[in-house]
Amino acid sequence: MESTSGVRTRATADDEAIGAVFSALADPTRRALVRALGEGDATVGELASGFSVGVPAISKHLSVLEAAGLVSRHREAQWRRCRLEAQAFDRLQEWLQHYTALWQGSLDRLDEFLIRSPDEEARS
């Protein structure tokens, strides 16, 4: 894969998984579904009752969340219940922690630069 700057990059499976999570969570309805499932497992019908769209639309949103690894469906008696999958959120947390450390270092250096007095800058 080549970036727009001409530098070659290689997407890893983790990169693709994180991209799928971000893509899935980009939609406000899907984020609301994640919040609802944070309160516990639910059927598609139970989830749909809190939205102004029908069961088929909620099912499609859940399919996107499922493809991203955020949600799984399991059979419980005659119902298929949906549940959040913590592993996908753990991977997202790890990714965020890695980049938070990088960003924090850059912000710290910027802070040091901005705090320096003009006299110190002239001497260096």
Side-chain angles (χ1 to χ4, degrees):
M1 171 186 298
E2 192 159 319
S3 73
T4 55
S5 66
V7 177
R8 251 178 148 8
T9 59
R10 190 177 78 180
T12 64
D14 278 346
D15 292 335
E16 290 177 14
I18 293 297
V21 169
F22 277 123
S23 181
L25 294 174
D27 183 272
T29 300
R30 291 193 285 269
R31 289 193 305 273
L33 287 168
V34 167
R35 274 192 301 276
L37 287 169
E39 296 176 16
D41 296 2
T43 65
V44 177
E46 290 168 343
L47 290 167
S49 69
F51 294 89
S52 61
V53 296
V55 171
I58 294 300
S59 187
K60 285 182 183 181
H61 282 296
L62 288 167
S63 293
V64 172
L65 292 169
E66 192 172 16
L70 295 167
V71 170
S72 65
R73 299 183 204 201
H74 61 281
R75 186 163 293 285
E76 192 174 290
Q78 67 266 32
W79 294 284
R80 285 181 47 99
R81 298 188 67 76
C82 303
R83 82 165 37 123
L84 283 182
E85 290 299 326
Q87 292 171 336
F89 292 98
D90 291 343
R91 281 193 310 270
L92 183 59
Q93 180 70 23
E94 289 171 14
W95 185 90
L96 288 170
Q97 285 175 339
H98 171 76
Y99 285 98
T100 297
L102 293 175
W103 296 327
Q104 190 61 50
S106 294
L107 291 174
D108 288 346
R109 287 189 299 280
L110 176 61
D111 191 40
E112 289 172 20
F113 174 78
L114 294 173
I115 290 173
R116 285 170 132 181
S117 71
D119 292 337
E120 288 180 55
E121 189 65 32
R123 284 183 284 193
S124 40

